Amino acid sequence: MKLMVLILNKTDALEYLLEGLSAAGIGGATIIPSSGMAMTLSKMNSSFLSSSIRSMFSGEEDDNKTIISVIENDQLDLARRVVYNTVGDLSQPNTGIMFTIPLDFVEGRRKRRTPVPERADKEENKDKKSTGEAKKGKKDR
């Protein structure tokens, strides 16, 4: 298992991100309002920041959200796809940072959820393949 941490600067994507993770079967995330060092220094009127830089951080809102979730090892690629599809390329400025930490002990976690199927006909076709109906249908044609 891994602890997935996403520090999300692009907070307008938060709702879509959480919906995407949930639909992919990744649940149980905790969302923490957070602030970067530059934002915190600007609020403290630190002499470290010049007045021109300080004006960029004059907003009252939190500048990011930290999302943490315990995931299975095989869920990482899926989680990354959801993040990139909803948030965008994390290598771009002011988007976010994502990393994982390996876990050797987890207690109190619920059972793994199954992802919501994308389309009903895909599930129906999968059921036919498992029973052999899909192969029979091809031979009959």
Side-chain angles (χ1 to χ4, degrees):
M1 284 194 201
K2 298 179 181 294
L3 178 66
M4 179 182 72
V5 179
L6 172 62
I7 302 167
L8 181 65
N9 296 100
K10 199 173 177 182
T11 57
D12 57 327
L14 180 64
E15 183 178 346
Y16 297 112
L17 173 65
L18 296 177
E19 288 172 353
L21 290 172
S22 181
I26 300 169
T30 298
I31 298 93
I32 304 166
S34 52
S35 183
M37 186 168 66
M39 176 67 81
T40 302
L41 286 171
S42 74
K43 288 179 181 176
M44 298 170 75
N45 290 321
S46 171
S47 60
F48 181 74
L49 290 178
S50 72
S51 59
S52 61
I53 294 173
R54 186 174 288 117
S55 66
M56 293 187 316
F57 300 108
S58 61
E60 293 296 317
E61 70 282 342
D62 293 320
D63 63 328
N64 52 44
K65 303 283 185 191
T66 299
I67 301 147
I68 58 174
S69 182
V70 175
I71 62 171
E72 299 290 337
N73 292 336
D74 64 348
Q75 290 179 308
L76 179 57
D77 287 337
L78 181 58
R80 289 181 68 210
R81 271 183 286 179
V82 170
V83 169
Y84 276 75
N85 288 335
T86 56
V87 176
D89 185 353
L90 295 179
S91 67
Q92 297 302 309
N94 300 315
T95 307
I97 298 170
M98 182 178 179
F99 59 91
T100 61
I101 301 169
L103 299 175
D104 62 356
F105 175 80
V106 175
E107 189 172 325
R109 186 167 184 258
R110 291 185 181 153
K111 282 186 169 183
R112 183 179 189 160
R113 292 179 42 221
T114 56
V116 175
E118 285 185 39
R119 293 179 42 195
D121 60 339
K122 281 186 180 180
E123 288 299 310
E124 189 176 297
N125 196 20
K126 203 183 292 181
D127 289 342
K128 284 182 183 177
K129 284 181 183 176
S130 65
T131 61
E133 288 178 35
K135 288 181 183 177
K136 285 181 195 173
K138 284 184 180 178
K139 286 181 182 177
D140 294 341
R141 288 183 196 168

